[in-house]
Amino acid sequence: MNLSKRWLHDYVNLDVTDKDFAAALTLSGSKVEGYETEGEELSNIVVARVESLEKHPDSDHLWICQVNVGAQENLQIVTGAQNLKAGDYVPAALDNSVVAGGKKIKKGKLRGVESAGMLCSLGELGLTVHDFPNAIEDGIFVLGEDCDLTLGMDIREATGFNDVVTEFEITSNRPDCLSVIGLARETAVTYGMDFVEPTPVVEPGEGDVNDLLKVSIEAPELCYRYVGAVVKNVKIEPSPRWMRERLRASGVRPINNIVDITNFVMLEYGQPMHAFDLRYLEGNEVIVRNAKQGEKITTLDGIERELSEEMLVIADAKKPVAVAGVMGGEYSGIMDDTNTIVFESACFNGPSIRMTAKKLGMRTEASSRFDKQLDPKGCRTILDRALQLVQMLGAGEVVNGAVDCDCSDKTDFTLPFEPEWVNNFIGIDVSADEQKTILERLGCKVENGVITVPSFRGDLRHKADISEEIARFYGYDNIPDRQLAGVATAQYTPEQKFERLINNTMLACGLSELCTFSFISPKSYDKICLPADSLKRSCVVISNPLGEDTSVMRTTMLPSMLETLARNYNNRNAKAYLYELGKEYIWKGTDELPEEPQMLCMGMYGADCNFFTIKGIVEELLYKLGVEDYDVEAVTDNPSYHPGRTAVISKDGKVIGTLGEIHPQVLTNYGIGVKAYAAEISFDACFEMSNLKRTYKQLPKFPALTRDLAFVCKKSEPVLMLEKTIAQAVGKNLESIELFDVYEGSQIPEGMKSVAFNLKLRAADRTMTDEEADSAMKKAVKALEKIGISLRS
C-alpha cells in the first residue's frame, strides 16, 4: 500500500520528518518498507516564460527562444519543439541540471548558437499525459492553469510532483489498513491524536433512483450487501490536478473523472467500487447470482472467460456484466459517450472472490482487497463519498436515493474489557483509562466493562487481540523483558543434543556441513551402479515434481554427496571434506507413509585423503558418541564402493554404517578424476547404541608393564579380530592394546602379513610382576594359535 503524504495530511495534521514517521508507524505495527519523494532526481529545473522565438539560421527545425526565469536578464535556449509560442510557460532545465533518468544538462552550443539549457517535455520530468491531460506527449510541456506559474519556481513544486510516498506492508488480517483512512487512523493513534472519520454529504438531486434501477441478491451467502446509485447527464473529462496527484502517488494511473472517482474512493476507504453504463444493463436491473454452467463473459481486458457455477457474477436481466469482486465485463466500463451511470458499492464473501480470481487467473486490485473480507457496513458511506465527489467535480447529476440490498449480519461483536488481564498477559502496568483511550481512538466503544469492536476490525476476536492493540500503542520498546508465565525453560531433546554432538565432532574433524535436496533423479541410481533389482530403487515418486531431476525421494544420500563432490572437483577445489545430516525415504510399497531414517553421510577427496582417513574420522565419531565394541568387516559386494577397500561397521549383528573408497566406475559417472571416499552412518542406530555417560576413574596408584607382540597372519585377516582375541585372553588387567606396525616383505611368506601390538597391563590393587605379565602374553599367543595365527619369530 502506497500512502501519499499529501493525502494523509487531509486527515491528520502531522509535523514530523519522513524518517520519524516511518519508524513510529513500523513500531506501532504498520510496517514501512520504505519511502521516497516524487521527482527527487530532478534538479535545477524551473518555471520559465517564452518571451520570443526566432528561427535558427542554420536549421530548418530549431528555434532560438528567449525565456524569462525570473532573473534580471532573459536566457537564450535553443529547442527543436514546434508547439511553442511567445507567452507560454514551460519547464526550463538550466545549466548543471538533471532531468528524469539521471541525464545531466549543461549549457553549450547547438549549430553554433549558445543555449543556456533545455526546455523539457513531460517525459523529461518523469510525467505522462495521464498526469497532465491537456499537455502533448511529443513536444515541450506547456504549463496550464493547473500549475503554479511563478517564474523561477522549482518545477516539482509548480506541478505538484514532490509528494512523499510511503510504502507499507499490510498483513492480510488488516484490510482496513489498505486505505488512506485506515492508515490515517493508525497514524493518529500512534501519535496520540484523536481521529474523526469524515462523513460524506450528498446534496439532494432530482428524481428517484428506484424508477431507474432494480437490484436483487440471489446468493446472499456470497454477497452480503449491494448498494446502487444512479448519476445522469455525466460529463466525461479529466479529473482535477489534486485528484490526479493523489492517484499517481498511490500508483494508480488517472484516466477520467468517473473512473478516477471509483479508484480514489477505493484507495481512500479500502473498498473497491464499480461504475456501469446504464444503457448496457438490460432491463435496468442488477442481479447478483451464481454463474450458470458454461456461461461466458468477455471482461474489460478483452478476454472471453468461461464461468462455473460456484462463481459469483453481477448480471442484468439477460447476461452477466461483471465477475463479482474481480473485473467488469466488456461493456460495463465508462466510455466517452456515457450519459447515465450506476455506481456499485458491494461486499462479497472473501474466500469466494479468492477462489474465482484464482480459477480465472486474474488477480486484480479489486480481488486482492475483496478476498480479505471487507466490511459490509461501510458500503453506503463509500457510495455517498463517490456521489459527493461527483457533485464536487461537476461530473453529473445525482439521482435521489440509493437501492440498498443488505443481507449482512448487523450484530455487533463484543469482548469483555479487562484491563488487569491485559496487564498480566503482557507484563505492563497501563491504567484502565489509558487502555480505554487507546481502544476508543481505534474506533472501539468501551462502556460498562464491554468493548464493542468496530465492524471494520474483523481481526479483533479475542482478549489476546485486545492485548496486542494495547501493547503496540503502549510501545513494544516499553515492555519490560520477562519470562512468559507457565513456560518452562526451553531445553534440547536427547535427539537434538545427539545431533549437535555429531555436528560438533564433524566440524572438529575438519569437515564442512552441506544441505542438499531430499529429492533426486531416478538416474542417480544408475550413476551409483545400483543393480536393477535393488530395493533402493523402490522409492517414493513425487506427483508434481519440479522436473525429472527432482522427481523421486532419495533412498540413499550417496548421490547427493557425490554430486556435491563432483561440483567441487569441477570447480578445481584441491580437496573437499564434507558431511550432511539428512533423511532417507524408504517406501513400504503401500499407501502408508515412508520410513524416514536419519543418516549421516560423509564424503571427501584430496591428496592427503585415503581409506584410513575416513575410517579414523568414523572411529573418532563413534568414540565421541559412546558406541563401543563394534565390529569392522570388509565387504566386496557393495556396487557403489571399491570391492577391496570397503568395510561395514556393525554391533551385535546390527549394521551401523558403511565406509570406503568410491568405485572407479561411479567416479567416472560423476566426472570425479581422483579417488574419493564416503561413509554412510545410521543416526538412529548410533543413537540407540550410544552411551554418553562418562565414568571418571582415579589416577592409577601402581605402575604399568608393557609388552610387544608380533604375529604372522593372512593378509585378509582383520586386525580388529586379533585385538579382540588378545584382549579376551589377557583379561581385566589389559589397560590398552595398540597396533603399531604392519609389515609385508621378503621375510614374510607370500600372502601373509606381520602385525605388531603394544600391550599395556596394570593391576588396580597391586604392582604386577613380570611373571604375571609373561603369563598373560602366553595366554594371548595360545589363543591366537588356536585360530591359526602364529607368533612371529
Side-chain angles (χ1 to χ4, degrees), residues 471-486:
R472 66 193 185 96
F473 291 110
Y474 171 76
Y476 290 125
D477 54 333
N478 295 323
I479 299 176
D481 294 337
R482 66 160 188 169
Q483 182 177 316
L484 294 177

Side-chain angles (χ1 to χ4, degrees), residues 453 477 519 647 684 733 743:
V453 177
D477 54 333
F519 30 83
D684 301 324
N733 289 331
Y743 174 73

Side-chain angles (χ1 to χ4, degrees), residues 567-632:
R567 191 174 302 116
N568 278 270
Y569 177 78
N570 292 330
N571 286 331
R572 300 186 179 183
N573 289 334
K575 63 179 181 179
Y577 281 51
L578 307 172
Y579 81 95
E580 179 181 10
L581 263 173
K583 288 187 177 182
E584 297 176 348
Y585 300 84
I586 310 303
W587 185 50
K588 297 182 179 179
T590 64
D591 292 335
E592 297 180 36
L593 293 174
E595 293 181 6
E596 300 181 20
Q598 188 163 2
M599 299 291 291
L600 168 67
C601 186
M602 301 179 225
M604 59 189 66
Y605 70 82
D608 55 350
C609 179
N610 56 41
F611 173 85
F612 294 103
T613 305
I614 196 165
K615 180 174 181 289
I617 293 174
V618 172
E619 289 175 340
E620 175 67 14
L621 173 67
L622 296 178
Y623 170 74
K624 291 290 186 182
L625 300 181
V627 180
E628 301 174 341
D629 299 327
Y630 52 83
D631 296 317
V632 181

